[in-house]
Amino acid sequence: MSELATREIELLELLDWKRRIFALYAEIRAAVDRAGAWEHWRSVRDELFRTHPSSPLDEAARRTYAGIPCFDYDPELRVTARVERLDSQGVRIGSSGDAPIAFERFAAAHFTLDGADHALELYWLTAYGGGIFVPFRDGTSGAETYGGGRYLLDTVKGADLGMDGDRLVLDFNYAYNPSCSYDPRWVCPLSPPANRLPVAIRAGERMQ
C-alpha cells in the first residue's frame, strides 16, 4: 500500500471519529436526563478509545484499556455563562508541540460557581472554518488532572454543549483531557494563564 493511500485512510478514519463525536454531542444537547446523557458520553468515548483507529491511545494501550477515569457526576457543576464581547485580539496559545497555535480571543464567559464569580476567555480557531475553543486549568491541574489543562468546548471537533437562551452552557462534568495527555505524538493547544480558575473542579476526566 502506498504512503498516500495510507494517509488517505487515516484521514477518513479521523473524519469518522469526528462524525461520531458530533453525533454524540447532538444527543447530549437533546437529552432530558442529564445524568444519563453524561453516562452515555462516558460509554461512547470509552468504546471509541478502545476500538477506533483514531483513538489517542496507541495499540498497546488499547489492549489493556479499562476506561477513562472520571470524577463522579455533579449536577452543580453545570453552569450557564453570560458572554461578554471583548475586543478581538490575536493570541498564540502554547501547545504540547514545538510551536504555539493561532487563535483569536473574542469574548469572555462569566459564570457563578459555588457562590463565587469566575470567567473564562473564549477563543476562535483562526484556521479555515474556525471553531470555539474553551480550555481551562484549575486547582486539580498537575495533581488529580492533566497539568496542561482540560477542554470544555472544542467545536471544530464536535465538543459543543450549546446555548441556554442567550447563555453559553459550560458543564464541567464533560471536561476532557487533550489527546497529548495520552500519547505525545498528538500536538494539542494547552490552557493559557488567562483561563486558570482559582478553585478545584473535581468533575470530568481525571488522571489515573
Side-chain angles (χ1 to χ4, degrees):
M1 184 178 294
S2 70
E3 182 178 349
L4 179 59
T6 300
R7 178 60 174 162
E8 289 169 348
I9 290 171
E10 290 175 347
L11 291 176
L12 289 173
E13 290 169 343
L14 182 58
L15 175 61
D16 180 70
W17 173 283
K18 292 177 67 172
R19 191 180 289 128
R20 295 187 189 202
I21 296 297
F22 270 91
L24 173 61
Y25 276 84
E27 292 168 351
I28 292 166
R29 291 192 298 272
V32 175
D33 178 1
R34 290 176 182 165
W38 178 78
E39 291 288 356
H40 179 58
W41 175 76
R42 288 193 66 186
S43 176
V44 171
R45 283 173 54 79
D46 278 350
E47 182 65 17
L48 288 172
F49 270 58
R50 185 181 298 112
T51 65
H52 200 280
S54 291
S55 169
L57 304 176
D58 61 27
E59 289 188 18
R62 284 180 230 172
R63 286 194 290 269
T64 59
Y65 178 69
I68 304 170
C70 289
F71 294 99
D72 292 339
Y73 178 78
D74 185 348
E76 298 300 317
L77 292 176
R78 179 190 187 274
V79 299
T80 60
R82 175 181 62 84
V83 177
E84 174 196 13
R85 180 182 177 275
L86 300 177
D87 291 338
S88 176
Q89 178 181 345
V91 296
R92 296 180 66 80
I93 294 178
S95 77
S96 60
D98 296 330
I101 299 174
F103 287 87
E104 175 191 352
R105 188 213 62 185
F106 70 97
H110 297 268
F111 58 95
T112 301
L113 193 63
D114 197 23
D117 294 333
H118 302 282
L120 291 171
E121 291 188 345
L122 308 184
Y123 303 100
W124 186 262
L125 181 64
T126 55
Y128 177 79
I132 293 177
F133 177 56
V134 185
F136 75 99
R137 297 187 198 191
D138 67 284
T140 70
S141 300
E144 298 169 86
T145 62
Y146 180 57
R150 293 177 287 167
Y151 298 170
L152 274 178
L153 304 178
D154 188 2
T155 65
V156 75
K157 296 179 180 176
D160 174 15
L161 295 172
M163 304 288 290
D164 185 351
D166 61 353
R167 296 176 71 87
L168 183 67
V169 175
L170 301 176
D171 192 334
F172 289 92
N173 292 288
Y174 292 93
Y176 67 95
N177 297 327
S179 296
C180 58
S181 69
Y182 298 100
D183 190 326
R185 68 191 169 98
W186 299 93
V187 176
C188 309
L190 304 177
S191 184
N195 277 18
R196 177 71 188 242
L197 297 174
V199 292
I201 305 292
R202 292 186 173 88
E205 290 186 17
R206 56 181 176 82
M207 302 301 287
Q208 295 284 0

